[in-house]
mmCIF file of all heavy atoms in Angstrom:
data_model
loop_
_atom_site.group_PDB
_atom_site.id
_atom_site.type_symbol
_atom_site.label_atom_id
_atom_site.label_comp_id
_atom_site.label_asym_id
_atom_site.label_seq_id
_atom_site.Cartn_x
_atom_site.Cartn_y
_atom_site.Cartn_z
ATOM 1 N N GLN A 124 16.726 -16.159 18.238
ATOM 2 C CA GLN A 124 16.908 -15.643 19.612
ATOM 3 C C GLN A 124 18.284 -15.085 19.926
ATOM 4 O O GLN A 124 18.907 -15.314 20.891
ATOM 5 C CB GLN A 124 16.642 -16.826 20.708
ATOM 6 C CG GLN A 124 15.167 -17.187 20.709
ATOM 7 C CD GLN A 124 14.243 -16.047 21.019
ATOM 8 O OE1 GLN A 124 14.471 -15.331 21.929
ATOM 9 N NE2 GLN A 124 13.202 -15.965 20.221
ATOM 10 N N LEU A 125 18.780 -14.315 18.860
ATOM 11 C CA LEU A 125 20.081 -13.805 18.912
ATOM 12 C C LEU A 125 20.154 -12.475 19.903
ATOM 13 O O LEU A 125 19.339 -11.627 19.706
ATOM 14 C CB LEU A 125 20.502 -13.338 17.487
ATOM 15 C CG LEU A 125 21.912 -13.360 17.096
ATOM 16 C CD1 LEU A 125 22.485 -14.742 17.209
ATOM 17 C CD2 LEU A 125 22.031 -12.850 15.631
ATOM 18 N N SER A 126 21.051 -12.542 20.834
ATOM 19 C CA SER A 126 21.290 -11.373 21.690
ATOM 20 C C SER A 126 22.704 -11.027 21.673
ATOM 21 O O SER A 126 23.613 -11.885 21.677
ATOM 22 C CB SER A 126 20.874 -11.729 23.142
ATOM 23 O OG SER A 126 19.459 -12.005 23.252
ATOM 24 N N VAL A 127 22.959 -9.709 21.543
ATOM 25 C CA VAL A 127 24.377 -9.179 21.536
ATOM 26 C C VAL A 127 24.533 -8.193 22.682
ATOM 27 O O VAL A 127 23.716 -7.272 22.782
ATOM 28 C CB VAL A 127 24.690 -8.482 20.161
ATOM 29 C CG1 VAL A 127 26.056 -7.886 20.201
ATOM 30 C CG2 VAL A 127 24.629 -9.579 19.014
ATOM 31 N N LEU A 128 25.567 -8.357 23.290
ATOM 32 C CA LEU A 128 26.009 -7.435 24.452
ATOM 33 C C LEU A 128 27.154 -6.618 24.065
ATOM 34 O O LEU A 128 28.160 -7.119 23.555
ATOM 35 C CB LEU A 128 26.315 -8.232 25.748
ATOM 36 C CG LEU A 128 25.211 -8.974 26.495
ATOM 37 C CD1 LEU A 128 25.883 -9.860 27.528
ATOM 38 C CD2 LEU A 128 24.256 -8.059 27.004
ATOM 39 N N TYR A 129 27.102 -5.280 24.339
ATOM 40 C CA TYR A 129 28.377 -4.482 24.332
ATOM 41 C C TYR A 129 28.637 -4.146 25.756
ATOM 42 O O TYR A 129 27.974 -3.325 26.300
ATOM 43 C CB TYR A 129 28.140 -3.195 23.469
ATOM 44 C CG TYR A 129 27.969 -3.488 22.016
ATOM 45 C CD1 TYR A 129 26.858 -2.990 21.336
ATOM 46 C CD2 TYR A 129 28.937 -4.105 21.238
ATOM 47 C CE1 TYR A 129 26.621 -3.209 19.983
ATOM 48 C CE2 TYR A 129 28.789 -4.285 19.879
ATOM 49 C CZ TYR A 129 27.649 -3.851 19.183
ATOM 50 O OH TYR A 129 27.520 -4.052 17.873
ATOM 51 N N GLY A 130 29.556 -4.692 26.338
ATOM 52 C CA GLY A 130 29.747 -4.559 27.817
ATOM 53 C C GLY A 130 28.602 -5.183 28.462
ATOM 54 O O GLY A 130 28.263 -6.308 28.289
ATOM 55 N N ARG A 131 27.847 -4.381 29.253
ATOM 56 C CA ARG A 131 26.691 -4.883 29.896
ATOM 57 C C ARG A 131 25.364 -4.534 29.231
ATOM 58 O O ARG A 131 24.342 -4.972 29.622
ATOM 59 C CB ARG A 131 26.648 -4.426 31.379
ATOM 60 C CG ARG A 131 27.758 -5.131 32.212
ATOM 61 C CD ARG A 131 27.838 -4.555 33.587
ATOM 62 N NE ARG A 131 26.610 -4.811 34.303
ATOM 63 C CZ ARG A 131 26.387 -4.190 35.532
ATOM 64 N NH1 ARG A 131 27.218 -3.341 36.072
ATOM 65 N NH2 ARG A 131 25.178 -4.494 36.175
ATOM 66 N N ARG A 132 25.484 -3.706 28.151
ATOM 67 C CA ARG A 132 24.380 -3.226 27.514
ATOM 68 C C ARG A 132 23.971 -4.190 26.312
ATOM 69 O O ARG A 132 24.789 -4.604 25.521
ATOM 70 C CB ARG A 132 24.569 -1.833 26.945
ATOM 71 C CG ARG A 132 23.424 -0.876 27.205
ATOM 72 C CD ARG A 132 23.863 0.606 27.250
ATOM 73 N NE ARG A 132 24.869 0.789 26.251
ATOM 74 C CZ ARG A 132 24.580 1.207 24.985
ATOM 75 N NH1 ARG A 132 23.371 1.314 24.600
ATOM 76 N NH2 ARG A 132 25.536 1.389 24.187
ATOM 77 N N LYS A 133 22.625 -4.510 26.246
ATOM 78 C CA LYS A 133 22.202 -5.360 25.197
ATOM 79 C C LYS A 133 21.714 -4.503 24.074
ATOM 80 O O LYS A 133 20.864 -3.718 24.047
ATOM 81 C CB LYS A 133 20.876 -6.056 25.750
ATOM 82 C CG LYS A 133 21.039 -7.596 25.571
ATOM 83 C CD LYS A 133 19.843 -8.286 26.147
ATOM 84 C CE LYS A 133 20.256 -9.764 26.509
ATOM 85 N NZ LYS A 133 19.212 -10.474 27.204
ATOM 86 N N ALA A 134 22.469 -4.752 22.877
ATOM 87 C CA ALA A 134 22.166 -3.928 21.722
ATOM 88 C C ALA A 134 21.163 -4.620 20.885
ATOM 89 O O ALA A 134 20.500 -4.132 20.068
ATOM 90 C CB ALA A 134 23.472 -3.749 20.904
ATOM 91 N N LEU A 135 21.085 -6.053 21.044
ATOM 92 C CA LEU A 135 20.149 -6.859 20.334
ATOM 93 C C LEU A 135 19.650 -7.806 21.291
ATOM 94 O O LEU A 135 20.397 -8.473 22.067
ATOM 95 C CB LEU A 135 20.929 -7.552 19.181
ATOM 96 C CG LEU A 135 20.054 -8.071 18.092
ATOM 97 C CD1 LEU A 135 19.334 -6.980 17.293
ATOM 98 C CD2 LEU A 135 20.962 -8.881 17.095
ATOM 99 N N ASN A 136 18.310 -7.947 21.280
ATOM 100 C CA ASN A 136 17.634 -8.783 22.206
ATOM 101 C C ASN A 136 16.734 -9.879 21.666
ATOM 102 O O ASN A 136 15.590 -9.555 21.253
ATOM 103 C CB ASN A 136 16.873 -7.945 23.307
ATOM 104 C CG ASN A 136 16.437 -8.760 24.458
ATOM 105 O OD1 ASN A 136 16.760 -9.886 24.640
ATOM 106 N ND2 ASN A 136 15.621 -8.129 25.344
ATOM 107 N N GLY A 137 17.140 -11.057 21.522
ATOM 108 C CA GLY A 137 16.296 -12.179 21.043
ATOM 109 C C GLY A 137 15.824 -12.061 19.654
ATOM 110 O O GLY A 137 14.664 -12.207 19.234
ATOM 111 N N PHE A 138 16.745 -11.631 18.777
ATOM 112 C CA PHE A 138 16.406 -11.318 17.335
ATOM 113 C C PHE A 138 16.384 -12.657 16.539
ATOM 114 O O PHE A 138 17.301 -13.392 16.564
ATOM 115 C CB PHE A 138 17.457 -10.335 16.740
ATOM 116 C CG PHE A 138 17.279 -10.126 15.347
ATOM 117 C CD1 PHE A 138 16.165 -9.397 14.817
ATOM 118 C CD2 PHE A 138 18.252 -10.526 14.424
ATOM 119 C CE1 PHE A 138 15.963 -9.066 13.505
ATOM 120 C CE2 PHE A 138 18.034 -10.209 13.024
ATOM 121 C CZ PHE A 138 16.993 -9.550 12.630
ATOM 122 N N GLY A 157 19.881 -1.293 16.476
ATOM 123 C CA GLY A 157 20.494 -2.642 16.430
ATOM 124 C C GLY A 157 20.657 -3.259 15.065
ATOM 125 O O GLY A 157 21.097 -4.383 14.895
ATOM 126 N N THR A 160 24.267 -4.024 14.238
ATOM 127 C CA THR A 160 24.727 -5.174 15.166
ATOM 128 C C THR A 160 24.100 -6.540 14.665
ATOM 129 O O THR A 160 24.805 -7.480 14.621
ATOM 130 C CB THR A 160 24.138 -4.863 16.673
ATOM 131 O OG1 THR A 160 24.745 -3.588 17.037
ATOM 132 C CG2 THR A 160 24.523 -5.918 17.637
ATOM 133 N N ALA A 161 22.870 -6.452 14.277
ATOM 134 C CA ALA A 161 22.245 -7.653 13.693
ATOM 135 C C ALA A 161 22.999 -8.205 12.509
ATOM 136 O O ALA A 161 23.264 -9.366 12.426
ATOM 137 C CB ALA A 161 20.747 -7.441 13.378
ATOM 138 N N GLN A 163 26.093 -7.673 11.647
ATOM 139 C CA GLN A 163 27.467 -8.183 12.023
ATOM 140 C C GLN A 163 27.315 -9.475 12.618
ATOM 141 O O GLN A 163 28.166 -10.354 12.356
ATOM 142 C CB GLN A 163 28.176 -7.112 12.975
ATOM 143 C CG GLN A 163 28.603 -5.873 12.275
ATOM 144 C CD GLN A 163 29.080 -4.918 13.288
ATOM 145 O OE1 GLN A 163 30.156 -5.076 13.842
ATOM 146 N NE2 GLN A 163 28.285 -3.779 13.491
ATOM 147 N N ALA A 164 26.349 -9.709 13.527
ATOM 148 C CA ALA A 164 26.080 -10.987 13.990
ATOM 149 C C ALA A 164 25.764 -12.075 13.040
ATOM 150 O O ALA A 164 26.248 -13.199 13.080
ATOM 151 C CB ALA A 164 25.032 -10.914 15.157
ATOM 152 N N LEU A 168 30.545 -11.810 12.485
ATOM 153 C CA LEU A 168 31.657 -11.012 12.954
ATOM 154 C C LEU A 168 31.586 -10.614 14.435
ATOM 155 O O LEU A 168 32.542 -10.259 15.050
ATOM 156 C CB LEU A 168 31.568 -9.686 12.221
ATOM 157 C CG LEU A 168 31.974 -9.861 10.702
ATOM 158 C CD1 LEU A 168 31.671 -8.556 9.934
ATOM 159 C CD2 LEU A 168 33.380 -10.356 10.506
ATOM 160 N N ILE A 169 30.425 -10.814 15.038
ATOM 161 C CA ILE A 169 30.309 -10.589 16.558
ATOM 162 C C ILE A 169 29.688 -11.924 17.056
ATOM 163 O O ILE A 169 28.780 -12.461 16.520
ATOM 164 C CB ILE A 169 29.405 -9.497 17.047
ATOM 165 C CG1 ILE A 169 28.920 -8.679 16.010
ATOM 166 C CG2 ILE A 169 30.083 -8.666 18.076
ATOM 167 C CD1 ILE A 169 28.113 -7.401 16.486
ATOM 168 N N ALA A 170 30.242 -12.343 18.170
ATOM 169 C CA ALA A 170 29.785 -13.544 18.816
ATOM 170 C C ALA A 170 28.597 -13.116 19.643
ATOM 171 O O ALA A 170 28.653 -12.352 20.555
ATOM 172 C CB ALA A 170 30.842 -14.203 19.684
ATOM 173 N N PRO A 171 27.457 -13.803 19.389
ATOM 174 C CA PRO A 171 26.213 -13.392 20.258
ATOM 175 C C PRO A 171 26.341 -13.956 21.656
ATOM 176 O O PRO A 171 27.049 -15.022 21.859
ATOM 177 C CB PRO A 171 25.112 -14.038 19.486
ATOM 178 C CG PRO A 171 25.719 -15.134 18.696
ATOM 179 C CD PRO A 171 27.151 -14.770 18.351
ATOM 180 N N ALA A 172 25.747 -13.258 22.672
ATOM 181 C CA ALA A 172 25.710 -13.686 24.002
ATOM 182 C C ALA A 172 24.774 -14.838 24.086
ATOM 183 O O ALA A 172 24.929 -15.705 24.962
ATOM 184 C CB ALA A 172 25.373 -12.588 24.857
ATOM 185 N N GLU A 173 23.651 -14.745 23.343
ATOM 186 C CA GLU A 173 22.720 -15.883 23.279
ATOM 187 C C GLU A 173 22.213 -16.154 21.842
ATOM 188 O O GLU A 173 22.270 -15.165 21.029
ATOM 189 C CB GLU A 173 21.428 -15.490 24.127
ATOM 190 C CG GLU A 173 21.655 -15.288 25.556
ATOM 191 C CD GLU A 173 20.548 -14.428 26.169
ATOM 192 O OE1 GLU A 173 19.355 -14.530 25.727
ATOM 193 O OE2 GLU A 173 20.864 -13.616 27.043
ATOM 194 N N GLY A 174 21.701 -17.309 21.645
ATOM 195 C CA GLY A 174 21.166 -17.563 20.280
ATOM 196 C C GLY A 174 22.328 -17.885 19.313
ATOM 197 O O GLY A 174 23.517 -17.770 19.597
ATOM 198 N N GLY A 332 16.752 -2.685 19.960
ATOM 199 C CA GLY A 332 17.330 -4.001 19.940
ATOM 200 C C GLY A 332 16.286 -5.135 19.835
ATOM 201 O O GLY A 332 16.584 -6.308 19.912
#
Side-chain angles (χ1 to χ4, degrees):
Q124 292 302 314
L125 211 59
S126 296
V127 173
L128 292 171
Y129 292 123
R131 291 175 59 192
R132 227 156 35 89
K133 231 178 207 178
L135 198 63
N136 190 9
F138 176 66
T160 303
Q163 289 171 69
L168 295 172
I169 354 186
E173 295 159 38

